[in-house]
Amino acid sequence: HPTGENPPSGIAVQYWLKSPAKTVTIDFLDAKGMLIHRYSTSSALQPAEAASGRGRFGGGRVARPENKSGVNTFTGWDMRYPDAHSFAGMVLWAAGTTGPMAPPGTYTVRLAVDGKPVGTQSFKLLPDPRLTGVTPADYDAQFALLMKIRDKFSATNDAVKTIRYVFYQLDQRAKDLPAAQKSAFDAAVTPMRDSLQSVADSLYQSQSHAGEDPLNYPIRLNNRIGALMGVVSSAWGRPTKQSYEVYDLLSGLIDIQMGRMKAAMAGVSGVNAVLKQAGMPAIDVAAKDIPGSGNT
């Protein structure tokens, strides 16, 4: 029979509303005034955040500010930056997409009600007082590398997502393609598809469908750089020389695959020319979820 409660895990923002509002928006900004997270009663997360799952409570519920009259308390921001992008069915080993923790420093919370700014309040995130040997420069260096890793991780996952979405569209078009264009369509699609599949297999282990599968199938580049994000964020302090070296190595390997993907995607123009002749929609090269696939 516990008698106490755990403190909230996020920054506590309290505000008073004279009457119920349609929309309450709470923004968290860094010291330069750049937006970190936005939460709203109407749309609690920005698109990139919603895709990654950041800001969600148990059961997939999204953190939303209350818009009822009286005193309200919002604790939805867990002091982390947005997660790395993900895609449906992604399996990782010893890695995750969780965004970097905000380093110690000054931040601002901004409140708007029904689209009208109400006010701002600055606050500080303080370092752990037990970590006497970590300097502000160390925190900044760690955060800078984590953001670079996160962004490269996101770009890698977006590339896989884009390839899968292009493949989905190709399969859909092939089903309804008139016989007169089938030969030209296959000629344009086959070399492009082979190249893109090679890129996708280099970026992500497509044989992994469950948590234990990486024991049988080696992880690819997205998992490797995702694991590096976990290593660098495992303890407060300046990243090691090896961490920078591993980032440079993995980033270079990923860039090679990105270049191959860009070259292969040039073939989409030829495919679209065939589709135009058939009076069919063009292929859209975008990092979109395949309809009905859901998202992790």
Side-chain angles (χ1 to χ4, degrees), residues 12-288:
V13 178
Q14 290 190 318
Y15 53 97
W16 178 82
L17 299 177
K18 183 177 181 180
S19 58
K22 292 182 179 179
T23 303
V24 171
T25 302
I26 296 178
D27 295 337
F28 291 93
L29 306 96
D30 65 14
K32 296 180 180 179
M34 300 297 293
L35 181 66
I36 302 172
H37 275 284
R38 168 168 292 165
Y39 300 93
S40 172
T41 52
S42 59
S43 179
L45 294 174
Q46 297 171 331
E49 300 169 50
S52 66
R54 171 58 48 201
R56 295 180 180 275
F57 293 115
R61 183 168 61 87
V62 175
R64 297 177 184 269
E66 295 284 352
N67 58 354
K68 64 181 186 295
S69 61
V71 176
N72 298 275
T73 302
F74 179 74
T75 57
W77 185 46
D78 58 2
M79 296 172 286
R80 288 187 177 276
Y81 275 66
D83 293 353
H85 298 176
S86 182
F87 55 83
M90 185 171 72
V91 175
L92 298 174
W93 183 262
T97 59
T98 303
M101 182 70 75
T106 300
Y107 297 84
T108 299
V109 58
R110 181 173 61 197
L111 177 69
V113 178
D114 292 337
K116 298 179 180 180
V118 172
T120 61
Q121 178 65 56
S122 63
F123 61 93
K124 290 185 177 181
L125 296 182
L126 303 177
D128 188 332
R130 297 170 295 181
L131 302 178
T132 56
V134 184
T135 67
D138 293 335
Y139 287 115
D140 291 342
Q142 181 182 33
F143 177 71
L145 180 57
L146 283 172
M147 291 296 283
K148 289 175 66 176
I149 295 172
R150 186 207 65 175
D151 291 346
K152 184 64 71 171
F153 191 16
S154 289
T156 306
N157 292 335
D158 282 348
V160 175
K161 193 172 181 178
T162 299
I163 292 172
R164 290 185 171 187
Y165 184 59
V166 167
F167 283 1
Y168 165 79
Q169 294 174 87
L170 292 174
D171 292 341
Q172 294 300 112
R173 303 295 188 275
K175 293 178 182 179
D176 303 319
L177 191 72
Q181 279 79 35
K182 188 177 187 309
S183 178
F185 181 81
D186 290 342
V189 167
T190 299
M192 179 183 73
R193 186 162 195 148
D194 290 345
S195 296
L196 290 176
Q197 187 62 62
S198 175
V199 171
D201 290 341
S202 297
L203 297 178
Y204 176 68
Q205 178 52 266
S206 59
Q207 296 297 318
S208 291
H209 303 288
E212 298 299 316
D213 283 346
L215 293 172
N216 297 314
Y217 306 105
I219 62 173
R220 302 304 190 199
L221 289 170
N222 77 323
N223 200 150
R224 292 169 67 184
I225 200 162
L228 178 61
M229 188 161 69
V231 170
V232 175
S233 63
S234 62
W236 287 113
R238 184 177 293 271
T240 63
K241 178 175 178 288
Q242 292 90 337
S243 293
Y244 286 105
E245 291 173 345
V246 171
Y247 171 76
D248 289 340
L249 171 64
L250 294 177
S251 181
L253 293 174
I254 291 170
D255 287 344
I256 290 173
Q257 298 303 322
M258 294 296 193
R260 294 183 61 210
M261 174 180 162
K262 181 178 180 180
M265 284 296 184
V268 171
S269 60
V271 175
N272 284 339
V274 176
L275 292 174
K276 184 177 181 179
Q277 289 181 344
M280 300 180 69
I283 300 298
D284 180 22
V285 180
K288 295 181 179 180

